[in-house]
Amino acid sequence: MTTFLTYTILGLVLGSVYFIAASGLVLTYNTSGIFNFAHGAQAMFGTFLYWHFTERWGWPVWLALLLVVGVAGPAMGAALHTAIMRGLRGTADVTKIIVTVAVLLGTVYLAQWVWSPDEAHTVDMFFGAGAKVTVAGVVIRYHELVCLVAAVAIAAGLRVLFTRSRAGVVMRGSVDDPDLLRLNGHDPERAAMLSWALGSTLAVLAGVLIVPISGGGLDANMLTLLVIDAFAAAMFGRLRSIPRTLVGAMVLGLAANYVLAYLPSAGTFTGNLRVSLPMILLFVVLVVLPQDRLRGAAIRTRERYRVPTVRAAAVWGAVLVAVVYLYSLLLSDGGVSTFALGMTFAIIALSLTVLTGYAGELNLAPLAFGAVATVVAFHTGVEGTGLASYMSVRGLLLGVAVAALVGGLVALPALRLRGLYLALATMAFGEFLSNMVLRDTTEHELFGFTFTLFPDGSLVVPPPKAGPLDLRDGTTFLMTATVLFALIAVGLAALRGGGYGRRLAAMKDSPAATAMLGQNLVRLKLSVFMISAAIAGLGGVLMSAAHGTVAQESFSFVGSLSLLMLVVVAGIGYISGALVGGLLAGVGASVLVATFGDLALESEGMGNIYDALGHLVLVGTALLGMGVGRNPSGFVHDVIEGYRAMRGARPLLYGAGAFGAGLYLLALTGVIGTWTFALVALCVIMLLPVLGRMYLDEGRRDRPTPLELAGVDEPYTEELRARLDRELGLPALGKGGAGA
């Protein structure tokens, strides 16, 4: 009985902290309509500040707590709303999600920059671990009592805020109908800013409370993901009900502790299940709870994409293959392998283009389907031993097929979900796969066969081989991945231009109208999920083969979020956006960080500067994601439109082409380095539309103004008046007579 009471109390304490975190999510969502995926990162950053004040600077706990929870937390939330979140009105769900994901990644990168992950950071309980009382044989620490009391007080306070106070009504009105709220003399942005300040405060408080009861060790990634577990409690209340959120948090905390107490401790199953339990409950809650009815497009989003024709896609695919081959001639063997890894990420990114860019459906765990395909291909397709081993085509195709099947199985119960709910369901699946499957290192027996899903916590995946095509050679691997990307891209262009693609676009624009016109939304969603999962599975197997050895971290939830963020930043509705976003996610930031790291080791005097530049690259990548709300179509859209406007600047295009050819010859002959060539070529590509606009503007100044624009685009001068007289056949007048 004592054991049961002990784990019950611990479960209630953990549930209390989950509720505090989840209540902040409910608060911000109810008043801004934005689900804050960065909630855990805000909790993490505030907890690091608390550690810094108490441990490094030696401040009293009460003073550190006052500054962190009372000042830093509200300031963080208010700043986020003012600088970023208020600009997200009128954007699609994926844009809102990606901006908060970018804040999450940027906050984690910043924390790892300020507080080195190599150093130990420990947060003690309030009043010390020895401060405790005993009730019915159960030891309860004062820190745990604080958690329980804080949860009850916050639940009561939020209930009163939302139902009994004018401020709460204004907060809810700021998302329901901000225009009506303005007509009644209230400022919806001020109300939303207040809610973000309160939500951030609750997140920081949850972080400070949960670290001591979870072991005391403070790690940026782990704490961020730990607070994300509170998403299940928030969804239990459907992001609206504080009482149901409290019940969901308590169920979550109790279930996690009862699993630890009563399930067998042998093996890794119990520990993995306890870690995965919040995501399992999140998926179940999302599927079971009733969803909103189908709606039309209430507001038109600001995303605009141009779909290429099949012919254009084929031409540009051939150009891509040629450019990649020519560039590979400049690279070392290591550079070719790195480039090949980036192309595999670009293939995975194509799965997001068809699913989110074309169909408007969300998947926050594309790497999870790559993990499924990799595990299947490893166990069924590896032939040979040692250095002579290779991945057979049969294993590769089987892995892709199973990934597509799993994509359908995941989508099947989630078919009734849309927008944010669907995104959270895919996130739950990804985390479940990462914690339950990719951590499974025990032996299993099935139909007389003994196997281990992830032996020794990693898989050694050899390159594929198909007859004479052996991908052990780096250049062959790179060109094969590039050709596959081009072929899939042409196929997606054909799909989007056909009847099926138009049905996907209609479903994205208005599910209600699509269903009313007789389209089967279930079939559309299921098929596009399976297509997307198959593409992600193919890219995942190739990515694993490019790595050589993969572990759980290779398919992490954070990696999936980073890939999705960069593809959205580039332009998720464009095939070229998938190419650019995949290359950035696979090799862009990592190559720059590694380069600055090598420079820091080689140069002692400049080591700190190079190290700071490496961290700045990561933070800057997240800043790109935070700014996507200002340009939700992606920067590739701007580049394409810039080049589209240069049709009249052909001499400039020819000159740039000649300059690029000369620059390539200099790099090929070793006169300039590969890095120099790449940087100069990139600068020319990005600056050419600007130069083209200047060139065209100069040309327009040299041409006479069309008569219909006379006096509109230029001052109405005497020369212009005389020209009008000539064109109209009127007699010329003298200087004085013209104005008479």
Side-chain angles (χ1 to χ4, degrees):
M1 187 63 181
T2 302
T3 301
F4 174 77
L5 290 176
T6 299
Y7 280 99
T8 298
I9 294 297
L10 292 176
L12 292 175
V13 170
L14 182 60
S16 299
V17 181
Y18 279 154
F19 167 73
I20 294 172
S23 60
L25 283 170
V26 174
L27 181 62
T28 54
Y29 185 81
N30 267 297
T31 52
S32 65
I34 298 173
F35 187 87
N36 185 16
F37 279 85
H39 201 66
Q42 292 174 258
M44 174 273 301
F45 198 83
T47 308
F48 266 107
L49 282 177
Y50 173 78
W51 173 88
H52 195 97
F53 292 157
T54 55
E55 299 296 328
R56 181 162 292 180
W57 288 356
W59 288 8
V61 170
W62 66 268
L63 179 59
L65 199 62
L66 178 64
L67 288 177
V68 170
V69 177
V71 178
M76 198 183 332
L80 277 178
H81 175 266
T82 302
I84 301 173
M85 303 305 169
R86 65 183 300 177
L88 296 182
R89 293 189 185 274
T91 59
D93 287 336
V94 65
T95 303
K96 295 176 181 178
I97 290 172
I98 287 307
V99 169
T100 58
V101 165
V103 174
L104 181 154
L105 296 174
T107 307
V108 171
Y109 295 149
L110 182 61
Q112 292 175 341
W113 184 359
V114 177
W115 299 283
S116 173
D118 298 329
E119 298 178 9
H121 306 90
T122 304
V123 176
D124 296 328
M125 291 187 173
F126 295 160
F127 313 106
K132 54 191 176 182
V133 296
T134 303
V135 179
V138 178
V139 175
I140 306 176
R141 296 177 177 86
Y142 287 171
H143 184 95
E144 295 166 345
L145 288 175
V146 170
C147 295
L148 293 170
V149 172
V152 173
I154 290 171
L158 290 179
R159 180 69 176 174
V160 171
L161 174 67
F162 280 135
T163 60
R164 300 295 180 86
S165 70
R166 188 178 184 84
V169 174
V170 172
M171 283 182 179
R172 287 187 284 117
S174 65
V175 66
D176 292 337
D177 196 334
D179 294 330
L180 181 61
L181 198 65
R182 290 189 183 94
L183 290 176
N184 283 275
H186 298 288
D187 186 357
E189 298 300 339
R190 182 182 301 172
M193 183 180 68
L194 177 61
S195 72
W196 275 85
L198 292 175
S200 179
T201 300
L202 293 173
V204 170
L205 178 60
V208 173
L209 293 175
I210 200 172
V211 171
I213 64 177
S214 62
L218 187 53
D219 178 82
N221 286 314
M222 292 301 297
L223 179 55
T224 299
L225 295 177
L226 185 62
V227 177
I228 284 179
D229 289 346
F231 286 6
M235 293 309 302
F236 196 89
R238 296 198 67 196
L239 294 172
R240 295 188 181 279
S241 172
I242 292 296
R244 286 205 300 264
T245 300
L246 177 61
V247 172
M250 293 305 171
V251 169
L252 185 61
L254 290 171
N257 279 276
Y258 289 157
V259 165
L260 193 62
Y262 295 108
L263 288 186
S265 58
T268 60
F269 176 79
T270 299
N272 293 344
L273 179 61
R274 185 182 188 276
V275 175
S276 305
L277 192 60
M279 294 298 106
I280 296 173
L281 292 179
L282 173 60
F283 191 86
V284 172
V285 167
L286 287 169
V287 172
V288 171
L289 286 182
Q291 302 300 316
D292 296 332
R293 293 177 298 173
L294 287 177
R295 298 178 183 272
I299 53 175
R300 302 293 298 179
T301 59
R302 293 187 274 122
E303 291 81 349
R304 295 293 180 266
Y305 302 114
R306 290 181 179 267
V307 181
T309 63
V310 177
R311 180 180 178 181
V315 170
W316 284 111
V319 170
L320 173 65
V321 173
V323 169
V324 170
Y325 175 73
L326 291 175
Y327 187 61
S328 68
L329 299 178
L330 305 179
L331 299 174
S332 62
D333 292 341
V336 169
S337 299
T338 302
F339 198 0
L341 178 63
M343 287 305 304
T344 63
F345 271 88
I347 293 175
I348 300 174
L350 282 175
S351 70
L352 298 173
T353 298
V354 64
L355 183 66
T356 305
Y358 292 172
E361 304 297 325
L362 295 173
N363 177 15
L364 298 188
L367 294 182
F369 297 102
V372 171
T374 297
V375 171
V376 173
F378 173 80
H379 287 287
T380 62
V382 175
E383 299 185 5
T385 57
L387 297 177
S389 62
Y390 63 92
M391 175 69 67
S392 67
V393 176
R394 175 179 57 84
L396 177 63
L397 294 178
L398 186 59
V400 172
V402 173
L405 180 61
V406 171
L409 292 176
V410 171
L412 197 58
L415 287 177
R416 50 201 292 273
L417 305 178
R418 296 181 304 279
L420 172 64
Y421 291 158
L422 182 58
L424 289 171
T426 57
M427 182 198 77
F429 165 73
E431 278 292 273
F432 168 78
L433 184 80
S434 178
N435 293 325
M436 285 297 295
V437 177
L438 304 187
R439 287 184 177 182
D440 189 355
T441 58
T442 58
E443 287 190 354
H444 302 276
E445 186 173 345
L446 183 64
F447 302 122
F449 294 97
T450 302
F451 64 94
T452 304
L453 289 177
F454 246 66
D456 301 324
S458 63
L459 299 178
V460 179
V461 182
K465 180 181 179 182
L469 185 64
D470 191 349
L471 301 193
R472 284 189 184 86
D473 178 70
T475 302
T476 305
F477 196 121
L478 171 61
M479 297 312 302
T480 301
T482 305
V483 170
L484 285 173
F485 178 90
L487 292 176
I488 297 172
V490 174
L492 292 183
L495 179 146
R496 177 59 183 84
Y500 178 76
R502 289 192 290 271
R503 289 195 293 272
L504 291 180
M507 181 178 66
K508 175 184 178 181
D509 188 62
S510 178
T514 306
M516 185 185 68
L517 292 174
Q519 299 300 321
N520 190 325
L521 295 185
V522 172
R523 186 180 301 169
L524 279 175
K525 285 188 178 183
L526 186 62
S527 60
V528 76
F529 256 96
M530 294 184 70
I531 293 171
S532 174
I535 297 173
L538 174 61
V541 175
L542 293 176
M543 181 200 74
S544 302
H547 274 300
T549 302
V550 291
Q552 176 203 9
E553 293 76 15
S554 304
F555 309 100
S556 67
F557 170 61
V558 175
S560 290
L561 290 182
S562 179
L563 173 63
L564 178 60
M565 180 195 74
L566 290 171
V567 175
V568 172
V569 168
I572 199 164
Y574 289 103
I575 293 172
S576 52
L579 175 64
V580 175
L583 289 175
L584 287 175
V587 299
S590 59
V591 167
L592 288 175
V593 171
T595 301
F596 285 125
D598 294 339
L599 291 174
L601 293 175
E602 295 173 0
S603 177
E604 296 182 0
M606 298 284 290
N608 291 333
I609 296 177
Y610 286 130
D611 185 63
L613 289 174
H615 286 291
L616 193 60
V617 167
L618 295 176
V619 176
T621 302
L623 289 176
L624 291 176
M626 296 179 199
V628 76
R630 300 180 182 276
N631 183 18
S633 298
F635 67 80
V636 169
H637 174 82
D638 293 339
V639 174
I640 291 175
E641 292 301 315
Y643 276 95
R644 195 181 300 276
M646 288 184 62
R647 292 173 179 173
R650 295 188 182 277
L652 192 62
L653 291 173
Y654 295 150
F659 175 78
L663 194 69
Y664 177 79
L665 291 176
L666 292 176
L668 189 62
T669 55
V671 177
I672 61 175
T674 304
W675 267 104
T676 303
F677 167 77
L679 291 175
V680 174
L682 183 62
C683 290
V684 170
I685 292 172
M686 300 302 292
L687 290 176
L688 197 56
V690 178
L691 298 175
R693 194 177 304 114
M694 296 170 59
Y695 175 85
L696 293 174
D697 289 343
E698 186 66 28
R700 293 190 188 99
R701 280 194 290 268
D702 295 336
R703 293 194 300 268
T705 304
L707 288 179
E708 61 270 18
L709 298 179
V712 177
D713 285 352
E714 60 179 306
Y716 203 75
T717 61
E718 291 294 334
E719 291 78 10
L720 181 57
R721 190 189 303 271
R723 181 188 167 205
L724 287 172
D725 289 343
R726 288 194 305 271
E727 295 292 342
L728 295 174
L730 299 176
L733 299 176
K735 289 185 177 181

